[in-house]
Each structure stands twice: as C-alpha cells, then as structure tokens.
Amino acid sequence: MELEELLTRASRAQTSVEAESSSLRSQLAAARAEVEQLAGTASRLAGDKCSAEQIASRHAAQKLEADRKLERLEHERVPQLLARQEAIAADAIELRSRVVRLEAENTLLRGKLSGADVLVSGLRGECAELNTRLLASGGSRRAVACDEVQQAWAGTTHGMEHPYPSSRMLTHHATCLAD
C-alpha cells in the first residue's frame, strides 16, 4: 500500500506539475506575444524618434540659414533703408519750405493783383471822365485814343501779362490827360 500511495502521490504530483507546466507554457506564449508586440512598438517608436530627430535637424538647419540670411540682409539693406529714409525726410523738409515760399509768393501776387485792379479801376474812371470832357469839348480823336489805351490796359491785366502799366501806356494816358 505504501507503494500505491507513493504512486498516487507521484501521479498527483505529476498531474500538478503538468498543469503547472501547461499554465507556464501559456504564460510564456502570452509573454512572447507581448514581447513581440512591444518590440514592434519599440521599433515603430524608434523610427518615429529618428524621423522627429531628422525633422528637428532640418528645422535647426533652416533656422540657422534664416538667421544668417536675416543678418546678411540687415547688413546690406538697413543702411540703404536708413539713407532712403533720410533722403525722404530731407525731401519732405524741402517741399514744406517750397510750399511756404509759394504760399508767400501767392499772397504777394494776390496783393499786387488787387493793387493793379484798384489802379485799373481808377484809370478807367479817369479815362471815362476824360472822354466825357473831350467829347464835350470836341476832341473825338483823343477820346478814341484814350479808349484804346483803356482797352489795351484791360487786356494786359486780365491776361496777367503785366501787373503794372507799361511806360508807353502811361505816357499816352498822360498825353490824353494833358490835352
């Protein structure tokens, strides 16, 4: 009986070992599958890391090139742009000065024109008065001459050829007045 008992125990132990061995084999198979999955993931991650490093390297090279280009452009273009800005500022100052001069000249010319208009108006009045006196005294030739001077004077001021009467016109006008 002892032997049977030993055999039964050995048989039970063997069954227990076989069950444990089967359990360990299935755990081993699961662990191998997990290792393979993890190896695939690790391989994919290593590839992603390598790609990311290459992209980072390209970006670093592009940034370095962009920095060099920026520095080169700053050295080349900034002095040109500053010179251009100074030239534009100088032109603006010159143009402002010119506008001020032109406005002053315009004001002066308007004053002269106003004075010439007053003078012409006075001379017209005098010519009209003289014509009336000459016609009354019978000097029609001189009245016509004064009318011609008046018309010539009106033509020169409105056309702005001469803001003041010519010496010839004034001499003729004086002659008309003297007669």
Side-chain angles (χ1 to χ4, degrees):
M1 250 251 154
E2 259 183 55
L3 209 40
E4 278 184 31
E5 237 180 74
L6 264 169
L7 269 177
T8 309
R9 276 192 211 161
S11 173
R12 281 187 197 160
Q14 184 180 2
T15 306
S16 172
V17 167
E18 286 176 0
E20 193 176 326
S21 174
S22 175
S23 172
L24 288 174
R25 282 188 191 137
S26 67
Q27 286 178 359
L28 180 63
R32 282 185 181 156
E34 186 178 351
V35 165
E36 286 179 15
Q37 182 183 8
L38 290 175
T41 301
S43 175
R44 191 179 78 247
L45 289 175
D48 289 348
K49 179 184 174 193
C50 184
S51 294
E53 286 173 349
Q54 288 175 351
I55 290 171
S57 177
R58 271 197 316 263
H59 283 285
Q62 289 172 348
K63 183 185 181 304
L64 184 62
E65 180 62 28
D67 288 343
R68 286 182 190 152
K69 189 173 183 179
L70 176 64
E71 186 178 325
R72 182 174 40 89
L73 287 174
E74 283 177 348
H75 287 304
E76 290 175 3
R77 298 288 293 169
V78 168
Q80 292 173 352
L81 292 174
L82 289 175
R84 187 172 177 193
Q85 179 187 14
E86 289 173 5
I88 289 171
D91 287 347
I93 290 170
E94 182 181 331
L95 288 174
R96 283 188 200 111
S97 172
R98 187 172 175 197
V99 164
V100 167
R101 277 195 316 266
L102 289 174
E103 286 175 348
E105 187 177 325
N106 189 19
T107 303
L108 179 68
L109 289 175
R110 284 179 192 222
K112 285 183 179 181
L113 178 62
S114 177
D117 284 342
V118 169
L119 179 64
V120 167
S121 178
L123 289 175
R124 282 185 184 153
E126 285 179 34
C127 278
E129 185 182 318
L130 287 174
N131 279 335
T132 305
R133 279 197 275 163
L134 284 173
L135 286 175
S137 68
S140 64
R141 183 174 166 249
R142 295 275 185 197
V144 171
C146 280
D147 282 339
E148 288 174 0
V149 168
Q150 186 178 5
Q151 289 171 359
W153 175 248
T156 58
T157 57
H158 291 296
M160 289 305 295
E161 293 174 14
H162 302 286
Y164 297 108
S166 69
S167 60
R168 184 173 156 223
M169 286 184 202
L170 289 177
T171 304
H172 185 70
H173 181 66
T175 305
C176 288
L177 290 175
D179 290 337

